[in-house]
Amino acid sequence: MPDNPYVGMWVTADNHIRQELLPNGRYDEARGRRSSAYTGRYEVTGADIYYWDDTGFTADGHFEGDILHHGGYVFYREGSPAHRASGLQR
């Protein structure tokens, strides 16, 4: 997978959901205290992301700079100005 600018940690404003996009095309998502709640592979095409979970379901999302819209949630690149501006990070 070619380098992409979205590798790294993406979190909801309250940090309840934490999704790490790994450089090898895999992702690991934690929910609350449950680490690795969802894992699988992903591909990025332009500003769109496509997920294939290890359990078989698929999903997609769309990046707008340091913001990711995915599954009805808004994720922020951890520590980014957008994340800090969300006002809920802990």
Side-chain angles (χ1 to χ4, degrees), residues 25-27 39-45 49-60:
R26 300 279 302 166
Y27 71 90
T39 59
R41 69 182 180 91
Y42 74 92
E43 290 182 11
V44 173
T45 302
I49 185 168
Y50 302 93
Y51 299 89
W52 293 269
D53 187 83
D54 291 338
T55 64
F57 73 83
T58 61
D60 58 37

Side-chain angles (χ1 to χ4, degrees), residues 2-54:
D3 291 337
N4 78 66
Y6 305 114
V7 168
M9 187 65 73
W10 294 83
V11 299
T12 54
D14 62 2
N15 287 317
H16 180 74
I17 304 174
R18 302 176 55 79
Q19 184 180 95
E20 185 173 13
L21 301 179
L22 302 166
N24 64 356
R26 300 279 302 166
Y27 71 90
D28 190 315
E29 181 174 299
R31 294 204 172 210
R33 294 183 181 170
R34 184 175 169 209
S35 62
S36 299
Y38 298 97
T39 59
R41 69 182 180 91
Y42 74 92
E43 290 182 11
V44 173
T45 302
D48 296 316
I49 185 168
Y50 302 93
Y51 299 89
W52 293 269
D53 187 83
D54 291 338

